């Protein structure tokens, strides 16, 4: 693979056991390629371990294990969990913050690809993980910015979102009905159900999750008797979840399904009039599809309803062209980190304004009145304010109002207001 | 119609208005400047440079190109003012009409006359602090050699009236003195006497007696006039209505009473803040 390439889109799936990287390097094709764990290897699972050499270079995966062996050192593990929680890594007498860890690890991932391709330029990049909490997402944006990526070319999405992107890119028969995904790793067993509502307005793709981590432990699968018990448990879960629903496809991901030969009874049930696929790379392929913004698929008509996506439309009442109107600041179904907006307005004889929050499916709305702070005395229409909306996760938003003064006539006072709104408490 | 007006683009690049040594960065600031300085706006205000700024910096090609055409055709500045003020949602149709009426009234006046007219309008609307600033600015310009004594006397008289409106009787007296120096008349004399008496300053009262020949009997008549005026003001409907807001109404609870009183005080505070700014 020693050739110069332009990587149009790259996806990185960060899981605590394995990291996976996939790229699109062909403008004429939407097909993504998995990046192997090492040269000459077809396996694309990169162990999520880290080794920092005495010279200060960061190594991941098999390379980290080899270097650690040569140097007589040890690899650091559990690093993705540290990044997700915003904790710290204590390694070889040094302390690394979640941001430093993210920066070094992502750089090592990109260097891994560069090592295999020799010379690359990467246009767009998307990181996916089991969840995308604020600290993880903020650190990812900051780290990738430091590594030279423009903000508009970065995305950070949850596994639920990656699942949607992947499914929508498949042929229609795969998702004509509901789609099930079971992800079984050393850290979790998660059951996802993707439902498409084509007849609603707007059209909605919904993903619901159920966590069965307490019921299934990957360590026990090496014992055939335990594996048999798990097969029975899984069979009962399937009967319960699949009752009164029609599934066209089932995806099975993670080591739990791919590295062990089970579950026989459950597989027989799953294969009954359904497509069943096993593999490791669903999330990373979903990520690379999400990164490729030029990819126009049917998914663009749908509103995504899943963890990591906003639940409501947010607007404010304004005057424009001498008409009162609801100006939408944020649409439901947007990735929460990308869902912010900023608008500048001039106050005309008011001391409060109204934020309108609408459920896009039921169309119920809640009006929240925000009382403006007392600005220094100025004539009417001589105060310009900046109203900024940002989300801190998929259900909590912050609205900030800043006084911008009015040009050279009235300087900004520094007065501002911050209002937190929890959407889940409104409906 | 009150509310949030969606603002247009604010640029980092300024447009410099030399008439007032001020920079503007958005269309709303330009509109605000024009609306509040109509007396300063003439054909020379609208230049190709301004049109270019509107097109290329403020990204408003529709407005900018219309202005460009008007400038080339030599259209009256009043039409250009209407065009600019009407764009967007910053000023209402009613406010633009008021500006047009203002321009019709003062359009052919000299700058000094326009300034005086602006001050007089402010006094009519009880904006005494702003009126004082306008008259003082005008007088500092007229100081530089105006030969129209009648006009100067009127401006000093109006400034005196403004000070009286602010209950600054001594300052009012001195303004009336300046008016009398330009041109003494009976109305000016009356105002000198009344302002001296209201100030209760013995030096001013002595000055009005000695300097202007006002006798003690005359001063007594002015005192009676002042008393009658005060009694009359106390029973004016406008004043009674204001005080009625402070009376507790029958069956009214205290919470509602305090809310009503607070609203009146808040109104007065807001008017004061607008005035001093």
């Amino acid at each position: 693979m020693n050739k110069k390439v332009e990587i149009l889109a790259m996806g990185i799936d960060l899981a605590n056991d394995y990291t996976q990287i996939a790229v699109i390097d062909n403008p004429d094709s939407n097909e993504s390629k998995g990046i192997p764990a090492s040269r000459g290897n077809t396996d694309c699972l990169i162990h999520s371990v880290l080794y920092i050499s005495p010279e200060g270079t960061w190594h991941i995966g098999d390379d980290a294990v080899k270097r650690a062996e040569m140097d007589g050192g040890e690899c650091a593990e559990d690093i993705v969990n540290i990044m997700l929680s915003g904790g710290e890594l204590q390694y070889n007498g040094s302390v690394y913050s979640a941001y430093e860890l993210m920066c070094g690890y992502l750089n090592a991932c990109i260097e891994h690809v560069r090592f295999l391709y020799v010379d690359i330029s990467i246009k767009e990049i998307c990181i996916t993980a089991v969840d995308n909490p604020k600290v993880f997402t903020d650190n990812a944006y900051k780290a990738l910015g430091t590594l030279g990526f423009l903000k508009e070319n970065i995305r950070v999405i949850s596994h639920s979102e990656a699942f949607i992107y992947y499914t929508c890119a498949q042929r229609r028969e795969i998702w004509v009905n509901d789609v099930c995904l079971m992800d079984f790793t050393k850290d979790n067993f998660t059951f996802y159900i993707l439902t498409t509502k084509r007849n609603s307005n707007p059209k909605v793709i919904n993903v619901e999750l159920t966590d069965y981590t307490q019921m299934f432990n990957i360590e026990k699968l090496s014992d055939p008797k335990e594996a048999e018990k798990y097969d029975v448990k899984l069979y009962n879960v399937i009967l319960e979840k699949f009752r009164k629903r029609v599934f066209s496809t089932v995806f099975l991901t993670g080591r739990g399904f791919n590295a062990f030969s089970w579950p026989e009874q459950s597989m027989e049930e799953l294969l009954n009039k359904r497509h069943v696929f096993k593999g490791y790379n669903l999330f990373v392929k979903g990520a690379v599809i999400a990164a490729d913004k030029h990819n126009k698929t049917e998914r663009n008509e749908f509103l995504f309803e899943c963890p990591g996506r906003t639940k409501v439309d947010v607007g404010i009442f304004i005057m424009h062209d001498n008409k009162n109107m609801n100006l939408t600041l944020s649409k439901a179904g947007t990735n929460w980190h990308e869902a912010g907006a900023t608008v500048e307005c001039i106050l005309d004889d008011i001391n409060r304004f109204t934020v309108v929050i609408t459920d896009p499916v039921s169309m119920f709305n809640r009006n929240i009145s925000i009382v403006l702070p007392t600005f220094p005395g100025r004539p009417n229409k001589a105060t310009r304010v900046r109203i900024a909306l940002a989300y801190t996760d998929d259900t909590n938003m912050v609205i900030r109002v800043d006084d911008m003064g009015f040009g050279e006539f009235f300087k900004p006072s520094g007065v501002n207001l911050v209002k937190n709104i929890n959407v889940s408490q409104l409906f | 119609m009150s509310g949030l007006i969606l603002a247009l683009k604010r640029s980092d690049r300024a447009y410099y208005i030399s008439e007032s040594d001020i920079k503007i960065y958005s269309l709303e600031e330009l509109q605000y400047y024009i609306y509040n300085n109509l007396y300063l706006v003439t054909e020379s205000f609208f230049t190709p440079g301004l049109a270019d700024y509107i097109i290329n910096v403020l990204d408003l090609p529709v407005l900018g190109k219309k202005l460009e055409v008007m400038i080339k055709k030599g259209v009256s500045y009043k039409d250009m003012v209407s065009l600019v003020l009407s764009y967007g949602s910053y000023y209402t149709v009613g406010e633009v009409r008021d500006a047009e009426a203002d321009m019709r009234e003062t359009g052919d006046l000299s700058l000094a006359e326009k300034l005086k007219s602006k001050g007089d309008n402010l006094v009519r609307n009880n904006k005494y602090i702003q009126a004082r600033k306008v008259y003082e600015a005008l007088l500092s310009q007229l100081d530089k050699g105006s030969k129209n004594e009648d006009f100067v006397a009127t401006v000093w008289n109006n400034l005196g009236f403004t000070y009286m409106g602010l209950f600054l009787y001594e300052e009012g007296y001195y303004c009336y003195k300046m008016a009398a120096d330009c041109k003494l008349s009976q109305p000016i004399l009356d105002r000198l006497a009344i302002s001296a008496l209201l100030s209760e300053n013995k030096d001013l009262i002595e000055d009005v007696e000695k300097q202007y020949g006002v006798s003690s009997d005359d001063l007594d008549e002015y005192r009676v006039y002042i008393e009658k005026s005060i009694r009359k003001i106390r029973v004016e409907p406008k004043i009674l209505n204001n005080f009625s807001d402070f009376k507790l109404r029958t069956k009214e609870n205290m919470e509602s009473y305090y809310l009503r009183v607070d609203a009146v005080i808040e109104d007065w505070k807001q008017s004061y803040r607008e005035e001093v700014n």
Side-chain angles (χ1 to χ4, degrees):
Chain A
M1 265 205 246
N2 285 344
K3 56 180 182 176
K4 293 183 184 182
V5 286
E6 188 191 358
I7 305 286
L8 299 165
M10 176 185 281
I12 302 180
D13 174 21
L14 294 175
N16 217 36
D17 51 1
Y18 296 104
T19 296
Q20 295 182 68
I21 306 172
V23 299
I24 295 176
D25 60 8
N26 184 350
D28 300 323
S29 164
N30 292 333
E31 284 299 311
S32 59
K33 286 182 197 166
I35 299 294
S38 57
R39 199 176 278 180
N41 199 341
T42 52
D43 181 9
C44 295
L45 298 175
I46 302 167
H47 287 277
S48 293
V49 295
L50 171 68
Y51 176 72
I52 304 175
S53 71
E55 298 83 42
T57 51
W58 290 48
H59 303 268
I60 60 171
D62 293 346
D63 185 40
V65 172
K66 279 182 196 158
R67 283 300 305 261
E69 258 179 46
M70 274 168 53
D71 296 347
E74 277 186 20
C75 289
E77 296 183 346
D78 207 33
I79 43 186
V80 174
N81 277 346
I82 294 172
M83 287 193 260
L84 282 167
S85 64
E88 280 175 350
L89 170 69
Q90 294 190 7
Y91 181 73
N92 280 351
S94 297
V95 176
Y96 298 88
S97 67
Y99 165 68
E100 286 166 333
L101 191 55
M102 174 83 77
C103 220
Y105 193 80
L106 289 178
N107 187 42
C109 289
I110 292 167
E111 286 303 311
H112 176 81
V113 178
R114 212 185 292 277
F115 176 69
L116 295 174
Y117 277 93
V118 178
D119 191 10
I120 57 167
S121 65
I122 307 167
K123 200 166 168 219
E124 289 165 319
I125 188 165
C126 176
I127 311 294
T128 184
V130 64
D131 193 5
N132 55 344
K134 182 169 168 48
V135 63
F136 176 84
T137 306
D138 287 347
N139 282 339
Y141 269 88
K142 204 169 145 193
L144 289 169
T146 306
L147 294 174
F149 288 90
L150 296 174
K151 193 177 173 193
E152 55 265 27
N153 292 340
I154 300 170
R155 301 195 84 170
V156 180
I157 63 174
S158 62
H159 274 173
S160 301
E161 293 174 84
F163 176 28
I164 295 177
Y165 278 108
Y166 178 80
T167 306
C168 292
Q170 306 312 303
R171 54 188 195 279
R172 202 50 174 321
E173 70 198 63
I174 297 294
W175 52 300
V176 64
N177 295 311
D178 291 353
V179 178
C180 166
L181 161 65
M182 289 184 255
D183 181 40
F184 191 8
T185 69
K186 77 172 170 85
D187 288 315
N188 62 270
F189 186 116
T190 312
F191 196 105
Y192 299 80
I193 297 178
L194 184 150
T195 307
T196 311
K197 300 170 192 168
R198 288 191 172 83
N199 296 327
S200 64
N201 182 22
K203 296 183 194 175
V204 174
I205 299 180
N206 171 276
V207 169
E208 58 181 81
L209 286 73
T210 314
D211 183 6
Y212 287 107
T213 306
Q214 299 302 317
M215 276 175 70
F216 297 94
N217 182 343
I218 204 172
E219 306 298 329
K220 297 203 173 167
L221 284 178
S222 44
D223 179 348
K225 283 188 181 163
E226 290 297 325
E228 229 178 274
K229 284 183 191 170
Y230 275 1
D231 190 9
V232 172
K233 272 191 199 173
L234 182 59
Y235 179 75
N236 289 327
V237 167
I238 291 164
L239 287 184
E240 182 204 328
K241 286 292 194 186
F242 282 34
R243 193 169 14 135
K244 293 184 185 174
R245 297 180 90 139
V246 178
F247 286 82
S248 40
T249 304
V250 178
F251 294 109
L252 303 172
T253 66
R255 269 191 81 239
F257 288 115
N258 291 280
F260 299 89
S261 54
W262 79 294
E264 286 181 20
Q265 185 187 12
S266 304
M267 279 302 285
E268 210 180 301
E269 174 58 35
L270 289 176
L271 282 163
N272 183 9
K273 297 178 191 170
R274 298 180 192 99
H275 304 287
V276 180
F277 300 95
K278 279 201 320 184
Y280 286 99
N281 58 10
L282 183 145
F283 294 129
V284 71
K285 289 204 161 189
V288 79
I289 293 166
D292 182 17
K293 293 201 189 81
H294 300 292
N295 185 345
K296 304 273 182 208
T297 64
E298 197 187 339
R299 72 168 190 265
N300 295 329
E301 305 165 27
F302 288 90
L303 186 151
F304 291 8
E305 224 177 50
C306 66
R309 293 273 161 153
T310 58
K311 317 295 174 206
V312 293
D313 294 338
V314 182
I316 53 171
F317 282 126
I318 53 115
M319 281 199 304
H320 184 58
D321 283 345
N322 290 308
K323 288 175 218 157
N324 258 325
M325 54 185 275
N326 181 354
L327 176 72
T328 302
L329 296 181
S330 171
K331 295 285 285 174
T334 309
N335 177 276
W336 70 262
H337 197 270
E338 297 167 13
T342 301
V343 67
E344 292 180 9
C345 297
I346 290 172
L347 305 184
D348 179 10
D349 198 22
I350 53 162
N351 61 359
R352 65 182 63 225
F353 68 97
T354 304
V355 177
V356 184
I357 296 179
T358 308
D359 181 306
V361 176
S362 67
M363 296 309 287
F364 286 148
N365 62 51
R366 292 279 180 269
N367 289 349
I368 297 179
S369 184
I370 296 184
V371 176
L372 290 163
T374 305
F375 295 118
R378 295 170 189 154
N380 190 31
K381 297 189 188 183
T383 299
R384 190 176 179 115
V385 293
R386 179 182 294 122
I387 300 173
L389 164 74
Y391 276 84
T392 55
D393 58 43
D394 53 15
T395 52
N396 284 287
M397 68 177 91
V398 177
I399 293 180
R400 184 181 166 113
V401 181
D402 284 281
D403 173 30
M404 298 177 69
F406 197 67
E408 287 196 353
F409 301 103
F410 303 102
K411 297 277 181 243
S413 62
V415 171
N416 64 61
L417 159 84
V418 175
K419 170 95 178 166
N420 293 298
I421 300 173
N422 184 323
V423 167
S424 54
Q425 291 172 358
L426 297 177
F427 295 100
Chain B
M1 211 195 246
S2 62
L4 285 174
I5 302 171
L6 185 64
L8 298 170
K9 177 184 171 181
R10 187 180 191 277
S11 169
D12 291 332
R13 263 178 62 195
Y15 179 79
Y16 178 63
I17 298 177
S18 56
E19 288 87 340
S20 301
D21 187 29
I22 198 163
K23 291 180 194 150
I24 58 101
Y25 297 83
S26 69
L27 182 69
E28 289 89 0
E29 289 167 38
L30 176 64
Q31 290 169 321
Y32 176 86
Y33 174 81
I34 291 173
Y35 196 87
N36 289 285
N37 294 282
L38 281 174
Y39 62 99
L40 283 178
V41 175
T42 60
E43 270 80 12
S44 62
F45 181 85
F46 295 100
T47 62
L50 176 60
D52 181 74
Y53 181 81
I54 292 172
I55 296 168
N56 292 311
V57 179
L58 297 183
D59 287 338
L60 299 168
V62 170
L63 172 64
K65 283 180 180 159
K66 276 187 188 168
L67 188 62
E68 224 171 34
V69 168
M70 284 173 135
I71 293 167
K72 276 187 187 144
K73 285 185 176 173
V75 160
S76 160
Y77 77 92
K78 293 175 196 171
D79 292 334
M80 290 191 271
V81 165
S82 295
L83 171 73
V84 174
L85 292 184
S86 304
Y87 192 87
S89 308
Y90 189 65
Y91 283 116
T92 62
V93 169
E95 285 168 326
V96 176
R97 279 200 196 121
D98 286 344
E100 287 167 347
D102 219 359
M103 283 191 292
R104 276 196 298 276
E105 217 176 273
T106 61
D108 299 321
L109 300 178
S110 68
L111 177 59
E113 285 165 335
K114 284 185 186 177
L115 271 172
K116 179 183 168 297
S117 173
K118 179 179 164 98
D120 295 349
N121 270 334
L122 287 167
V123 167
R124 273 195 284 274
N125 290 305
N126 301 323
K127 308 253 188 227
Y128 296 115
I129 296 177
Q130 291 177 54
R132 189 197 75 184
K133 287 179 188 168
V134 171
Y135 287 137
E136 284 174 353
L138 173 54
L139 284 166
S140 71
Q141 285 184 20
L142 292 174
D143 249 354
K144 293 159 194 166
S146 173
K147 292 175 185 169
N148 187 342
E149 285 192 343
D150 280 352
F151 183 75
V152 176
T154 309
V155 178
W156 275 116
N157 171 74
N158 291 3
L159 180 57
F161 182 88
T162 304
Y163 273 117
M164 298 297 280
L166 291 169
F167 308 106
L168 299 169
Y169 304 122
E170 288 185 18
E171 285 82 353
Y173 180 83
Y174 287 117
C175 289
Y176 290 133
K177 265 185 86 73
M178 295 298 291
D181 285 348
C182 291
K183 190 177 177 182
L184 183 60
S185 62
Q186 187 58 46
I188 296 285
L189 193 60
D190 292 340
R191 287 162 200 159
L192 275 166
I194 289 169
S195 59
L197 287 171
L198 284 172
S199 75
E200 296 180 353
N201 183 320
K202 287 180 186 162
D203 292 335
L204 297 189
I205 296 170
E206 201 179 302
D207 185 61
V208 89
E209 283 176 315
K210 288 187 178 157
Q211 198 77 19
Y212 301 100
V214 174
S215 68
S216 306
D217 289 340
D218 289 336
L219 285 178
D220 286 340
E221 276 186 35
Y222 283 122
R223 284 190 183 95
V224 168
Y225 170 77
I226 289 169
E227 276 301 314
K228 276 188 186 168
S229 300
I230 290 172
R231 276 200 296 271
K232 195 175 161 194
I233 286 168
R234 281 185 181 150
V235 297
E236 262 186 28
K238 185 180 157 188
I239 304 296
L240 288 178
N241 282 342
N242 274 343
F243 280 108
S244 77
D245 279 335
F246 293 92
K247 277 188 186 170
L248 186 65
R249 292 169 192 165
T250 321
K251 291 184 187 176
E252 185 180 26
N253 66 44
M254 291 310 295
E255 195 186 334
S256 156
Y257 170 73
Y258 287 134
L259 278 172
R260 201 178 64 250
V261 166
D262 283 347
V264 172
I265 295 173
E266 196 51 46
D267 251 343
W268 291 351
K269 279 188 198 170
Q270 187 57 26
S271 297
Y272 174 74
R273 287 183 199 124
E274 283 172 12
E275 262 270 70
V276 297
N277 281 305

